Amino acid sequence: MDRLQSMRIFAKVVELGNFARAASAMDMSNAVVTRYMADLESHLGTRLLNRSTRKLSLTETGMVYLERVRAILSDIDDADAIASYAAQKPSGTLRVYSVPHFGKAQLAPLLPEFAKEYPDVMLDIKITDHHVDLVEEGIDVGFYLDLQKVDGSMISRKLATSEVLLCASPAYLEEHGTPATPEDISGHRCLNFNYDFLRDNWMAFDKRTGRDSFRSIPIQAKVISNNADVLRACALAGMGLVLRTSFQIDDDLAQGRLVRLFPEHCFGAVSISMVYPSRRQLSAKVRRFVDFVASKFPHPEEDMWMGGCPYRIREEKLRELGIPHPGKVRTG
């Protein structure tokens, strides 16, 4: 029995959900795939798949075995790439994950340039709000915000700091007036992300004075959502005030679709990190991609989207003032 081929077939059957699709994808007959799976289970002395007329599912042993098989196949692919001079010519499939707001607004525009420079690399991009286990799902590189939990065994490379900005559309401000002080926010309609620590209050401090100006501002939510695109659309439609990170709305501000309020105040900040599994030697495709993306974010401690804004936030200034990271403050 070809153990390596059996592993590849097993992983493909699980990925595609049945024997027929796996056979087609691997240019084999259904009978050959079935025989390989039977031989593998016989060799291991245990069942890996539960079979029914409608679907396949992994047994408990199958789940554990699949995790190891994927790691082995990934390592073999990396070894093959290195042996075939992939360090000079990256190739193969590069699997990338990102949270939606960063993936759509910042990562997607970079991909054509990378693809042009490395035409033998096929990009497989996964954009989702759901938690992704990079190792379990065979992802090479992930992009996370600092509010997300990341496995401590991973290599994490900070890319950028993005300030949370208070904004509204010109139409909303014309109809409802512009708040004169941060406390006036309480009398306005607010479009709110559904984090518990932001549900009833927004936090802010004056960057010019620091610690003594830190305050929690009660708000009235007009819309609550877990989706940044929904909140942005509502803000553009004039429905209320919104807090959004600078990398999500820099174009809206530049084009005048949104107006920034209280630029001298900080309403929070988030860090964006590039994460990848720890390996003694990265494959050429991953190493080139990591270096390529990092080159686009040369100053991770600064908010690159604020440009020459005189009040742009710097993390070292927050630490100097002894002020907690506003993006991580919890209330209650």
Side-chain angles (χ1 to χ4, degrees), residues 36-310:
Y36 265 102
M37 283 304 306
D39 289 347
L40 178 61
E41 291 181 324
S42 176
H43 170 77
L44 297 173
T46 187
R47 183 176 292 278
L48 300 175
L49 296 168
N50 293 314
R51 300 162 175 82
S52 72
T53 56
R54 290 184 173 273
K55 66 176 182 178
L56 297 176
S57 63
L58 286 165
T59 64
E60 185 174 350
T61 301
M63 293 178 186
V64 176
Y65 188 66
L66 177 64
E67 182 178 347
R68 297 301 305 144
V69 163
R70 282 176 168 166
I72 290 169
L73 294 178
S74 179
D75 286 342
I76 290 173
D77 288 342
D78 287 346
D80 287 347
I82 293 169
S84 62
Y85 301 101
Q88 287 74 40
K89 190 176 182 181
S91 61
T93 300
L94 179 70
R95 296 176 175 85
V96 178
Y97 153 77
S98 178
V99 290
H101 19 309
F102 183 79
K104 295 175 184 178
Q106 303 300 323
L107 180 61
L110 301 179
L111 299 180
E113 181 181 345
F114 181 83
K116 184 177 181 180
E117 189 170 350
Y118 301 103
D120 292 326
V121 176
M122 197 278 278
L123 296 169
D124 182 349
I125 311 299
K126 183 172 188 174
I127 306 293
T128 178
D129 278 318
H130 299 130
H131 175 74
V132 170
D133 185 310
L134 300 187
V135 174
E136 182 178 324
E137 300 196 29
I139 304 293
D140 296 301
V141 183
F143 294 88
Y144 293 84
L145 302 184
D146 60 359
L147 294 174
Q148 297 173 283
K149 292 183 179 179
V150 176
D151 190 325
S153 66
M154 301 289 174
I155 298 172
S156 181
R157 183 170 181 173
K158 183 175 176 181
L159 289 180
T161 299
S162 181
E163 186 171 352
V164 177
L165 312 179
L166 178 66
C167 303
S169 71
Y172 175 85
L173 297 176
E174 183 177 352
E175 180 178 355
H176 299 279
T178 301
T181 68
E183 284 73 19
D184 291 342
I185 294 171
S186 296
H188 282 262
R189 300 174 181 177
C190 296
L191 313 173
N192 204 15
F193 220 82
N194 67 348
Y195 293 139
D196 288 341
F197 66 97
L198 289 177
R199 184 172 292 275
D200 301 312
N201 297 271
W202 286 350
M203 284 70 70
F205 72 87
D206 191 321
K207 301 172 194 174
R208 299 165 297 184
T209 56
R211 184 193 305 272
D212 293 336
S213 65
F214 196 82
R215 82 286 304 269
S216 178
I217 305 168
I219 64 165
Q220 301 178 45
K222 175 68 173 177
V223 176
I224 296 175
S225 177
N226 67 339
N227 186 275
D229 292 333
V230 169
L231 295 178
R232 173 180 173 270
C234 290
L236 292 173
M239 293 179 63
L241 309 182
V242 69
L243 291 179
R244 290 289 82 210
T245 52
S246 57
F247 71 76
Q248 294 173 298
I249 57 172
D250 55 331
D251 284 344
D252 292 327
L253 295 174
Q255 299 299 320
R257 293 186 292 264
L258 291 175
V259 176
R260 185 183 181 187
L261 304 175
F262 307 115
E264 72 282 359
H265 280 74
C266 177
F267 290 86
V270 297
S271 296
I272 303 100
S273 296
M274 178 166 51
V275 179
Y276 43 97
S278 177
R279 294 176 183 169
R280 283 174 293 182
Q281 187 169 11
L282 290 175
S283 65
K285 62 188 179 184
V286 174
R287 184 169 58 251
R288 296 295 176 85
F289 183 73
V290 166
D291 291 343
F292 168 80
V293 173
S295 71
K296 304 300 181 180
F297 300 88
H299 304 293
E301 298 301 323
E302 295 189 6
D303 190 328
M304 60 182 284
W305 297 279
M306 286 294 90
C309 175

